[in-house]
Amino acid sequence: MDTFQVHILAADRTLYEGPCVSLTIPASDGERGILAHHASMMAAIVPGMVCWQQPGEGMQLAAVSPGMVKVENNEVLVLVDSAERPEEIDEARARREADQAREAILQKKSRQEYQLAQATLARALNRLRVKGGSGL
């Protein structure tokens, strides 16, 4: 099975570095799958779920915030503001953040506050989806 080298880096830590069989990233134009010997590319990453498979292992996943991906010479660099594995996500906190963001959206304050609330809500819902929470 062909592999490629992947580096998944958040602003505060390295989430994963090592061999990879497949990688799926949330891009602005939809999910993108990357396999060994993928063509060179750069793309924006949107908040969503990154999934990767190490050789001989099951799928790994993480909630990610905006960032970028670069593919070149059978090596992939994923740079994001934040990344969390399901076991690192506090479900109760994410639900509170989602509820607060929904309330802020309903209050219809300034355009900037509204956009911030929308981004906060999207992040909280993404974290809950990765955590496997129900009742979204």
Side-chain angles (χ1 to χ4, degrees):
M1 186 172 286
D2 277 352
T3 63
F4 56 97
Q5 195 66 20
V6 68
H7 310 271
I8 304 173
L9 309 175
D12 61 344
R13 69 182 176 139
T14 299
L15 184 70
Y16 176 72
E17 284 190 301
C20 191
V21 175
S22 69
L23 173 71
T24 304
I25 55 147
S28 55
D29 58 351
E31 286 190 350
R32 293 220 183 159
I34 299 169
L35 298 172
H37 311 292
H38 193 286
S40 294
M41 71 165 215
M42 288 186 74
I45 292 177
V46 297
M49 186 171 15
V50 168
C51 303
W52 71 95
Q53 185 174 12
Q54 297 163 234
E57 308 239 347
M59 290 299 276
Q60 304 287 313
L61 58 107
V64 295
S65 61
M68 57 92 47
V69 61
K70 175 184 165 190
V71 181
E72 189 174 57
N73 299 325
N74 217 33
E75 194 160 334
V76 179
L77 175 61
V78 175
L79 298 173
V80 292
D81 291 333
S82 66
E84 295 174 283
R85 294 180 184 264
E87 62 272 15
E88 298 169 337
I89 296 171
D90 180 339
E91 187 173 348
R93 182 174 151 227
R95 287 191 182 284
R96 282 193 307 275
E97 288 172 352
D99 291 343
Q100 290 169 352
R102 285 185 183 107
E103 181 61 32
I105 288 170
L106 292 174
Q107 291 178 9
K108 295 180 182 165
K109 296 184 178 181
S110 73
R111 180 178 173 95
Q112 183 178 6
E113 288 172 319
Y114 179 78
Q115 289 172 335
L116 178 60
Q118 282 186 312
T120 301
L121 178 59
R123 179 175 180 263
L125 292 177
N126 180 54
R127 292 175 72 226
L128 287 169
R129 185 171 61 108
V130 170
K131 180 70 174 177
S134 59
L136 303 178

